[in-house]
Amino acid sequence: MSSRKPLIAGNWKMHGTIAETEERIAQMLPRIATSEHVDHAICVPFTALQAAVDSARGSLLNVYAQNMHEGENGAFTGEISAGMLTEIDVQGVLLGHSERRSLFGETDKALKLKVPAALNAGLQVILCVGETEDERENGDTERRLRHQVQEGLEKVPAERLGELVIAYEPVWAIGTGRVATPEQAQDALAFVRALVADRDKAAAEQVRVLYGGSMKPDNAAELLALPDCDGGLIGGASLDVDQIIAIVDACTR
Ligand code: PEP
């Protein structure tokens, strides 16, 4: 059995005033207080990060940003650096989410710099990868994943690869209610791990690979039990405290 600790990460996307963030965290904390077998994270909008960090301080809940710039500072209007996140005690960052890629022009070239910049600043990283529906139908899933993983990891030294979390999120399953079959998910999760093994075999045993894409309480147990699934990245269901707790409870590894 794997010694990798599962991670359940909620992606709140562009949802949540400061008051709503504080309220949702207050509801979550007592309900995850004894779930030490799982790592817990929420990825919240920039404006709510400080409030989220303060609300979650001393608890099992880690607070992540949803994006960052690779530079330390400079003429990059509208951007936030890794140092700005760690200054307010943010613990991690989500990078390369498919909505950032498809709606805001996030590229593998930029991610190649963002991933090591985040790690060097002491942030946990969740790097998102995944194929579109067309790519899957055209038999291009592995080619797409290979490109995203190899570029994203290219500048990460082998001895740090094991610290990463990679979320396999088929784009066609995000926010659609369509979920990958267990076979599709396991094949892709194992393929992502094998790509890490191409760089470093020991790191591939440590790296956590998550499934994301319409994970809900009714399908979570089956997905989380897959041999190469080390947790979930959850969008819609993470905004509902009952649902995210049900997913945490489905995580029995
Ligand atoms: C996501 O935003 O990463 C995600 C998986 O969303 P959802 O769970 O809503 O499909």
Side-chain angles (χ1 to χ4, degrees), residues 4-102:
R4 297 181 296 270
K5 189 172 181 181
L7 169 64
I8 299 294
N11 175 16
W12 289 6
K13 312 195 188 203
M14 197 173 74
H15 294 287
T17 62
I18 289 173
E20 286 164 349
T21 299
E22 289 170 340
E23 191 184 331
R24 197 176 297 126
I25 292 174
Q27 289 171 10
M28 284 178 75
L29 292 188
R31 300 180 68 180
I32 63 167
T34 54
S35 299
E36 278 163 358
H37 64 297
V38 174
D39 280 339
H40 305 267
I42 48 170
C43 310
V44 306
F46 285 132
T47 51
L49 281 172
Q50 180 75 73
V53 164
D54 291 340
S55 301
R57 212 178 287 281
S59 76
L60 294 182
L61 185 62
N62 289 322
V63 175
Y64 286 28
Q66 298 175 5
N67 185 29
M68 55 158 248
H69 190 273
E70 63 272 24
E72 283 178 25
N73 47 51
F76 302 110
T77 303
E79 293 290 324
I80 302 274
S81 70
M84 292 169 182
L85 298 175
T86 55
E87 184 184 22
I88 59 165
D89 295 337
V90 167
Q91 287 126 323
V93 64
L94 190 62
L95 292 174
H97 190 276
S98 80
E99 286 152 17
R100 300 261 6 127
R101 293 175 187 264
S102 65

Side-chain angles (χ1 to χ4, degrees), residues 15-243:
H15 294 287
T17 62
I18 289 173
E20 286 164 349
T21 299
E22 289 170 340
E23 191 184 331
R24 197 176 297 126
I25 292 174
Q27 289 171 10
M28 284 178 75
L29 292 188
R31 300 180 68 180
I32 63 167
T34 54
S35 299
E36 278 163 358
H37 64 297
V38 174
D39 280 339
H40 305 267
I42 48 170
C43 310
V44 306
F46 285 132
T47 51
L49 281 172
Q50 180 75 73
V53 164
D54 291 340
S55 301
R57 212 178 287 281
S59 76
L60 294 182
L61 185 62
N62 289 322
V63 175
Y64 286 28
Q66 298 175 5
N67 185 29
M68 55 158 248
H69 190 273
E70 63 272 24
E72 283 178 25
N73 47 51
F76 302 110
T77 303
E79 293 290 324
I80 302 274
S81 70
M84 292 169 182
L85 298 175
T86 55
E87 184 184 22
I88 59 165
D89 295 337
V90 167
Q91 287 126 323
V93 64
L94 190 62
L95 292 174
H97 190 276
S98 80
E99 286 152 17
R100 300 261 6 127
R101 293 175 187 264
S102 65
L103 302 174
F104 303 105
E106 180 74 284
T107 62
D108 290 316
K109 203 167 155 224
L111 291 163
K112 191 191 301 192
L113 301 176
K114 288 186 180 195
V115 173
L119 284 177
N120 289 340
L123 291 167
Q124 289 280 327
V125 173
I126 302 177
L127 172 66
C128 302
V129 299
E131 81 288 357
T132 63
E133 184 154 36
D134 277 357
E135 286 165 338
R136 177 162 283 274
E137 282 174 1
N138 294 332
D140 275 343
T141 298
E142 292 196 350
R143 189 185 57 78
R144 183 72 177 132
L145 295 177
R146 182 180 298 110
H147 189 78
Q148 291 175 325
V149 172
Q150 286 180 345
E151 279 227 62
L153 273 46
E154 190 178 312
K155 291 187 183 298
V156 178
E159 64 273 15
R160 298 207 65 182
L161 284 173
E163 296 171 38
L164 287 173
V165 177
I166 304 176
Y168 166 63
E169 299 206 295
V171 176
W172 47 271
I174 298 179
T176 59
R178 291 172 60 197
V179 66
T181 65
E183 293 73 23
Q184 287 171 328
Q186 170 56 26
D187 284 354
L189 295 164
F191 184 70
V192 167
R193 193 179 307 286
L195 291 169
V196 178
D198 289 344
R199 284 279 313 278
D200 189 276
K201 287 205 165 36
E205 288 304 310
Q206 293 162 5
V207 75
R208 288 184 288 182
V209 189
L210 313 184
Y211 171 81
S214 296
M215 189 183 275
K216 309 280 180 210
D218 62 355
N219 58 33
E222 194 174 28
L223 291 161
L224 293 168
L226 296 171
D228 281 287
C229 187
D230 303 316
L233 178 58
I234 298 113
S238 72
L239 294 168
D240 180 313
V241 175
D242 287 339
Q243 289 195 41

